Amino acid sequence: MSELLTNAIYSIQLGIEDYQSNDDRRPISALRNFYAGVLLLGKECLLNAAPDAEPMEILASKFVPSLDEDGQVVMTRRARPPSI
C-alpha cells in the first residue's frame, strides 16, 4: 500500500473518530480530517490512472497556459514565487 493511500485511510479514520467523540470541539476536526482523507484518496486514484506519469505533473496544480513558438497554447509550470 502506498504512503499516500495509508495517509488517506488514517485521515478518514481520524475524521470518523472525531465525529463520534462527545467533545464539542471535535466536529470541525472531523470535517477537516475527513476532507483531507478524501483529497488524498483522489490523488491516489489519479496516480493509479497514470502509473507511468511523473507524480508531480499529475498532482501539481500550478500550470498556466502559454504560447509555444508556433502560437499554439500549451500548459507550462508556473514559476514558484520567491521565498521570503
Side-chain angles (χ1 to χ4, degrees), residues 4-81:
L4 193 62
L5 182 56
T6 300
N7 287 340
I9 292 169
Y10 286 156
S11 292
I12 292 170
Q13 287 174 335
L14 283 172
I16 292 169
E17 290 171 10
D18 284 342
Y19 181 76
Q20 293 172 339
S21 169
N22 290 329
D23 188 341
D24 289 341
R25 299 171 295 172
R26 301 317 297 171
I28 293 173
S29 179
L31 182 61
R32 185 175 44 244
N33 284 324
F34 188 82
Y35 184 73
V38 171
L39 287 177
L40 291 170
L41 194 57
K43 289 180 178 185
E44 179 69 16
C45 289
L46 286 172
L47 291 175
N48 285 336
D52 296 330
E54 176 66 32
M56 285 311 297
E57 290 180 6
I58 300 293
L59 301 178
S61 62
K62 304 289 185 187
F63 285 91
V64 294
S66 61
L67 297 176
D68 67 7
E69 300 162 349
D70 299 324
Q72 299 295 316
V73 176
V74 294
M75 299 304 288
T76 57
R77 276 193 195 182
R78 178 181 304 173
R80 291 183 179 224

